[in-house]
């Protein structure tokens, strides 16, 4: 089995992925800086699900610590790296843009350097559906150009894809970027809509519904995201023999580089999402209908044809199923 570095291991996706890797017999080194962007106690609770396993080791460190990251790679000799650490949040990037430069770009460069100097067999990194930005051709395809981001968060994720391609080209480092679409489920982030809505409804407070409820999202359940990451991690990308520089395909390369969407491959109206939550809670929400937020987009929808073709997987968890599981977890976690 492999030794895997998972960055952002105390995070929503990172902790779930680490658990799956441990369950299948891999050795996991989890890295996280445990910042207070949201409740650190939730991060500690996620880690507690991992730390009893003898094949798990936790390292508290910032990705920006150049020498620390270099020393970690030299000491551990990782087979694979999954980068899920990032300063998250589209709206927060309007207030604290430099946090995104430090973690999402400088930190990622340190991982690229560590991976190339220590012959990592495959680096998989989290991109985001937000890179599609001003694009409106749907469903969003990895073969579309994505050169018009609408937030610095999105721009930092697009930058990661470009940086990764450069290392794949120059050093033949196998890299795969994954564009996640609106991930939700148990152990989710408190700053995301489902958590905020649930907390407000149970407290008898109104929920803020942006774009007057006309949002549509490709909501993707956490277990589907993790399954997609695992399958892609096990498939080391090879150069595309059909790639042509006169008509370059953004999703592939003549280097060992690949981009995939991981989404549920369907649009769900925000109001339908809220209704599913009301059904799961057995309570109605009072809605504050609000304008669109700066940096946000009205709709997302993932084309996952490449994911299906290459790794044989398509997310299938319905919103009703996923929300029911989240509500059950929320009530248990908060002892309600």
């Amino acid at each position: 089995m492999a030794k895997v570095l998972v960055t952002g291991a105390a995070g929503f996706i990172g902790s779930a992925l680490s658990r799956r890797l441990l369950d299948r017999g891999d050795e996991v080194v989890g890295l996280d800086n445990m910042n207070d962007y949201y409740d650190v106690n939730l991060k500690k609770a996620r880690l507690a699900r991992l730390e009893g396993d003898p094949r798990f080791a936790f390292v508290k460190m910032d990705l920006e610590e150049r020498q620390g990251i270099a020393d970690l790679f030299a000491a551990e000799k990782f087979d694979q790296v999954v980068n899920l650490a990032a300063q998250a949040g589209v709206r927060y990037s309007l207030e604290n843009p430099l946090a995104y430069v430090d973690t999402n770009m400088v930190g990622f460069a340190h991982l690229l350097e560590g991976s190339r100097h220590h012959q990592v067999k495959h680096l998989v990194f989290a991109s985001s559906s937000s890179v599609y930005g001003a694009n409106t051709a749907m469903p969003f395809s990895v073969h579309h150009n994505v050169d018009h981001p609408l937030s610095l968060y999105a721009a930092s994720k697009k930058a990661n894809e470009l940086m990764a391609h450069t290392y794949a080209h120059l050093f033949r480092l196998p890299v795969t970027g994954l564009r996640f679409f609106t991930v939700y489920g148990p152990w989710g982030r408190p700053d995301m809509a489902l958590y905020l809505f649930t907390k407000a409804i149970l407290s008898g407070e109104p929920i803020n519904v942006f774009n007057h409820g006309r949002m549509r999202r490709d909501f993707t359940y956490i277990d589907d995201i993790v399954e997609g990451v695992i399958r892609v991690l096990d498939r080391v990308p090879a150069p595309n023999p059909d790639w042509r520089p006169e008509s370059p395909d953004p999703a592939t390369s003549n280097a060992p580089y690949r981009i995939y969407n991981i989404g549920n491959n369907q649009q769900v109206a925000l109001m339908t999402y809220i209704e599913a939550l009301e059904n799961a809670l057995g309570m109605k929400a009072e809605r504050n209908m609000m304008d669109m937020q700066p940096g946000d987009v009205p709709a997302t929808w993932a084309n996952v044809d490449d994911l299906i073709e290459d790794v044989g997987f398509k997310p299938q968890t319905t919103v009703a199923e996923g929300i029911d599981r989240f509500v059950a977890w929320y009530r248990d976690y908060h002892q309600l």
Side-chain angles (χ1 to χ4, degrees):
M1 290 288 101
K3 178 184 277 192
V4 188
L5 171 64
V6 177
T7 71
F12 176 27
I13 302 173
S15 61
L17 175 67
S18 296
R19 185 65 265 163
R20 275 288 305 279
L21 290 170
L22 292 168
D23 288 345
R24 75 172 191 169
D26 288 336
E27 183 178 351
V28 176
V29 175
L31 183 146
D32 205 292
N33 67 0
M34 303 296 286
N35 70 30
D36 61 359
Y37 171 66
Y38 62 82
D39 184 13
V40 174
N41 288 323
L42 177 58
K43 298 181 180 184
K44 290 178 179 177
R46 292 181 186 134
L47 279 180
R49 302 165 64 220
L50 307 173
E51 290 182 317
D53 195 306
R55 286 166 291 111
F56 180 78
F58 178 67
V59 176
K60 184 180 179 182
M61 188 186 299
D62 282 312
L63 288 183
E64 301 97 289
E65 294 182 30
R66 181 188 299 182
Q67 192 58 52
I69 295 296
D71 291 346
L72 182 66
F73 272 84
E76 296 289 352
K77 303 292 191 295
F78 300 112
D79 299 304
Q80 301 165 324
V81 174
V82 183
N83 179 41
L84 300 171
Q87 178 55 60
V90 169
R91 291 166 193 155
Y92 187 71
S93 69
L94 277 64
E95 304 164 20
N96 295 277
L98 294 183
Y100 293 77
V101 175
D102 291 342
T103 300
N104 298 8
M105 296 169 68
V106 175
F108 187 58
H110 295 161
L111 291 178
L112 287 168
E113 277 290 277
S115 296
R116 76 129 166 157
H117 284 298
H118 296 281
Q119 291 76 52
V120 165
K121 297 180 179 69
H122 193 188
L123 167 62
V124 173
F125 64 96
S127 185
S128 167
S129 62
S130 68
V131 300
Y132 289 100
N135 289 27
T136 58
M138 294 204 185
F140 291 148
S141 170
V142 292
H143 304 288
H144 296 163
N145 284 309
V146 288
D147 293 328
H148 298 88
L150 299 180
S151 69
L152 192 66
Y153 171 71
S156 72
K157 291 297 190 177
K158 168 67 173 176
N160 285 172
E161 296 180 3
L162 297 173
M163 294 161 71
H165 181 269
T166 303
Y167 272 69
H169 170 72
L170 291 175
F171 309 115
R172 314 315 285 180
L173 173 67
V175 293
T176 303
L178 302 176
R179 295 173 180 169
F180 298 146
F181 280 70
T182 315
V183 190
Y184 74 101
W187 298 98
R189 292 199 341 243
D191 62 316
M192 296 188 73
L194 183 56
Y195 208 115
L196 291 170
F197 290 168
T198 303
K199 181 180 180 182
I201 294 169
L202 288 173
S203 301
E205 299 172 358
I207 62 174
N208 294 326
V209 182
F210 294 106
N211 197 28
H212 299 276
R214 293 189 292 270
M215 305 285 251
R216 301 181 70 84
R217 287 287 181 271
D218 197 332
F219 295 102
T220 313
Y221 187 66
I222 180 63
D223 290 359
D224 289 331
I225 289 286
V226 169
E227 181 66 25
V229 175
I230 291 278
R231 295 209 188 192
V232 168
L233 181 63
D234 291 341
R235 185 185 189 276
V236 178
N240 178 6
D242 298 322
W243 193 87
R244 295 293 178 265
E246 66 272 13
S247 56
D249 172 15
T252 66
S253 178
N254 57 2
Y257 171 88
R258 199 68 174 85
I259 298 290
Y260 294 102
N261 288 332
I262 303 186
N264 216 38
N265 191 221
Q266 60 180 300
Q267 287 186 316
V268 174
L270 179 57
M271 300 305 285
T272 301
Y273 193 67
I274 293 169
E275 289 164 7
L277 177 57
E278 291 174 327
N279 290 336
L281 291 170
M283 299 174 67
K284 288 292 183 182
E286 180 186 345
R287 299 165 171 82
N288 281 339
M289 309 306 278
M290 304 179 72
D291 293 337
M292 177 86 85
Q293 292 285 283
D296 216 340
V297 297
T300 63
W301 181 10
N303 179 318
V304 294
D305 289 351
D306 289 46
L307 187 71
I308 295 168
E309 181 177 348
D310 289 353
V311 302
F313 177 66
K314 178 182 178 181
Q316 295 188 21
T317 306
T318 67
V319 159
E321 291 171 328
I323 288 180
D324 281 348
R325 293 173 196 167
F326 172 82
V327 167
W329 168 81
Y330 186 96
R331 290 185 184 278
D332 179 66
Y333 179 74
H334 290 283
Q335 299 182 331
L336 297 176

